[in-house]
């Protein structure tokens, strides 16, 4: 029971503080799951993110599924999903009329403007923390550099990069 | 009524599971279903819903699903739209995630994971860079970034607290500023 409640709290906090779109949730989930509750190691977290970003669908709910199942099976999945989705669902349905009236208000825009730099720093730090754990040797560095070129220069979709790298790993590391 | 329910489920299953590239990539696909295919709303109504969604935290796909699903078919509609958005790839993720964590120490899976982790690191760094392009329009936003970075490393604060402080700061400082301007 305790772990179910913890799961709900973890994903409630992570998802409902993730302002600024999809990837904003990554550092917050990582903080809850790795640093706060110690459910997964940072490498396992990276594995979950690999699966979630290779598949279509919102990364937040996919991570909720991955972590929820690991911690408490299908009930864990359900509870993590509820924490992720229910609050904004209720707000969007019950309060959208009020929100629409204030959508152009300077206060609302000011809040989002101030939160964006923080979100960028959080995401960058999440990547760095993971990097320190992943770049063990010259091969993994090479993979990182190739990925960077593929993403930035050739705009190759993450799903392909994730699949290619797994095949590469099978050939080289095994 | 049944047809409405089925359409909501189909529309959101198609929009979020057939298009590659989560998050923002899903928005035009939802728009295509809700505006062009089923005429549930006008383009302007969709733009308003998107604007509301973008000011709230959490994934955009589920916010649009709840809003549009509810508008079309009430609470059941919202639930069906959410199921269509979340469930199909969730099942795949749980299945693959379970296999990966279970067999992480076997030579095969561990070799695959060792190679995929650097990719994940770069992908996350890339999304920080992408968001970063729009996040630092002025000197004061750089200052916020530097302070956030320093606090994270020096004080070991919960990142949520940083976000809340930034929201309050933005409300009082940026909010009031642009009111005067």
């Amino acid at each position: 029971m305790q772990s179910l409640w913890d799961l709900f709290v973890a994903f409630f906090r992570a998802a409902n503080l993730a302002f600024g779109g999809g990837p904003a949730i990554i550092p917050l989930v990582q903080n809850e799951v790795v640093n706060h509750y110690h459910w997964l190691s940072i490498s396992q977290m990276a594995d979950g993110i690999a699966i979630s970003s290779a598949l279509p669908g919102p990364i937040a709910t996919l991570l909720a599924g991955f972590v929820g199942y690991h911690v408490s099976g299908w009930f864990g999945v359900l509870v993590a999903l509820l924490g992720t989705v229910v609050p904004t669902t209720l707000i969007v349905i019950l309060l959208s009329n009020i929100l629409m009236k204030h959508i152009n208000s300077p206060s609302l825009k000011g809040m989002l403007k101030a939160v964006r730099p923080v979100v960028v720093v959080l995401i960058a730090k999440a990547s760095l923390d993971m990097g320190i754990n992943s770049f063990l040797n010259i091969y993994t560095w090479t993979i990182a550099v190739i990925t960077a070129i593929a993403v930035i220069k050739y705009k190759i979709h993450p799903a392909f990069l994730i699949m290619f790298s797994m095949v590469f790993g099978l050939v080289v590391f095994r | 009524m049944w047809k409405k329910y089925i359409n909501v489920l189909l529309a959101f299953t198609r929009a979020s599971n057939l298009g590659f590239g989560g998050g923002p990539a899903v928005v035009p696909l939802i728009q295509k279903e809700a505006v062009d295919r089923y005429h549930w709303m006008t383009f302007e109504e969709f733009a308003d819903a998107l604007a509301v969604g973008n000011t709230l935290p959490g994934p955009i796909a589920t916010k649009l699903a709840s809003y549009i699903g509810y508008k079309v078919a009430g609470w059941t509609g919202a639930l069906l739209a959410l199921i269509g958005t979340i469930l199909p790839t969730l099942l795949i993720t749980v299945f693959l995630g379970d296999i990966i964590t279970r067999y992480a120490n076997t030579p095969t899976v561990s070799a695959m994971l060792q190679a995929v982790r650097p990719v994940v690191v770069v992908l996350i760094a890339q999304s920080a860079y992408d968001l970063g392009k729009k996040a630092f329009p002025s000197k004061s936003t750089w200052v916020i970034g530097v302070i956030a970075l320093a606090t994270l490393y020096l004080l070991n604060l919960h990142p949520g607290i940083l976000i809340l402080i930034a929201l309050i700061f933005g409300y009082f400082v940026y909010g009031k500023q642009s009111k005067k301007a």
Side-chain angles (χ1 to χ4, degrees):
Chain A
M1 268 326 277
Q2 184 58 39
S3 61
L4 286 181
W5 173 247
D6 289 345
L7 267 173
F8 180 81
V9 171
F11 279 90
F12 179 89
R13 281 200 295 234
N16 297 296
L17 289 169
F19 288 88
I25 196 165
I26 290 175
L28 297 167
V29 171
Q30 188 173 320
N31 177 66
E32 300 292 348
V33 169
V34 179
N35 304 346
H36 194 84
Y37 290 108
H38 309 288
W39 285 319
L40 298 173
S41 72
I42 196 162
S43 307
Q44 287 176 308
M45 186 69 210
D47 305 340
I49 296 173
I51 299 172
S52 313
S53 34
L55 292 167
I59 192 156
T61 55
L62 298 180
L63 283 178
F66 172 75
V67 176
Y69 189 80
H70 181 81
V71 177
S72 292
W74 286 107
F75 279 112
V77 174
L78 184 66
V79 166
L81 275 179
L82 289 177
T84 306
V85 171
V86 168
T88 46
T89 292
L90 293 179
I91 294 173
V92 153
I93 291 175
L94 300 175
L95 304 177
S96 61
N97 286 334
I98 301 171
L99 277 171
M100 280 198 192
K101 273 185 212 135
H102 296 280
I103 201 79
N104 287 316
S105 91
S107 313
L108 196 58
K109 288 197 167 153
M111 288 164 85
L112 292 176
K113 185 183 171 191
V115 89
R116 255 176 236 129
V118 176
V119 168
V120 171
V121 167
L122 289 174
I123 299 174
K125 183 174 181 285
S127 157
L128 192 66
D129 289 348
M130 252 172 210
I132 291 167
N133 268 273
S134 309
F135 296 149
L136 306 163
N137 54 44
I138 186 77
Y139 295 107
T140 37
W141 268 105
T142 311
I143 296 172
V145 171
I146 293 172
T147 308
I149 295 169
V151 171
I152 296 164
K153 192 137 188 254
Y154 298 102
K155 315 240 176 282
I156 295 178
H157 194 278
F160 295 113
L161 294 169
I162 286 166
M163 284 188 280
F164 284 149
S165 69
M166 286 185 155
V167 174
F168 178 86
L170 272 183
V171 176
V172 175
F173 292 141
R174 205 169 168 240
Chain B
M1 202 63 214
W2 276 109
K3 195 156 167 60
K4 243 180 205 174
Y5 289 146
I6 292 166
N7 285 341
V8 167
L9 184 64
L10 279 180
F12 282 92
T13 308
R14 267 197 303 256
S16 346
N17 297 288
L18 297 183
F20 256 123
V26 85
V27 172
L29 298 172
I30 297 176
Q31 182 190 326
K32 208 172 112 192
E33 299 286 343
V35 179
D36 303 338
R37 192 194 293 257
Y38 292 110
H39 309 289
W40 285 324
M41 57 208 316
T42 64
F43 174 72
E44 286 73 22
E45 287 171 315
F46 182 82
D48 286 344
L50 182 62
V52 168
N54 279 333
T55 57
L56 294 170
I60 187 69
T62 59
K63 286 177 284 187
L64 286 175
S66 328
Y67 181 83
I68 298 170
Y70 181 81
K71 193 173 151 62
V72 175
W75 289 102
T76 318
L79 183 67
L80 289 171
L82 281 174
I83 290 175
T85 303
I86 294 170
L87 197 62
T89 47
L90 178 88
L91 296 176
I92 301 174
T93 304
V94 169
F95 175 70
L96 290 178
D98 186 44
I99 290 181
I100 274 185
T101 35
R102 211 183 281 251
Y103 297 104
N105 293 324
T106 64
T108 310
V109 177
S110 120
M112 285 161 70
L113 294 179
Q114 220 186 319
V116 86
R117 282 169 194 157
V119 175
V120 172
V121 171
V122 173
L123 290 175
I124 298 175
Q126 153 78 5
S127 54
Y129 175 75
D130 263 355
L131 285 175
K133 281 190 284 196
K134 286 180 201 152
F136 300 101
S138 58
K139 267 188 199 145
S140 60
T141 43
W142 277 105
V143 175
I144 295 178
V146 171
I147 293 175
L149 192 65
T151 345
L152 266 182
Y153 277 99
L154 298 178
L155 297 182
N156 205 16
L157 271 186
H158 190 286
I161 295 173
L162 275 180
I163 287 177
L164 289 176
I165 293 173
L167 289 172
I168 296 168
F169 175 85
Y171 181 87
F172 285 108
V173 178
Y174 291 144
K176 303 295 182 245
Q177 261 176 8
S178 44
K179 236 176 232 166
K180 271 183 234 155

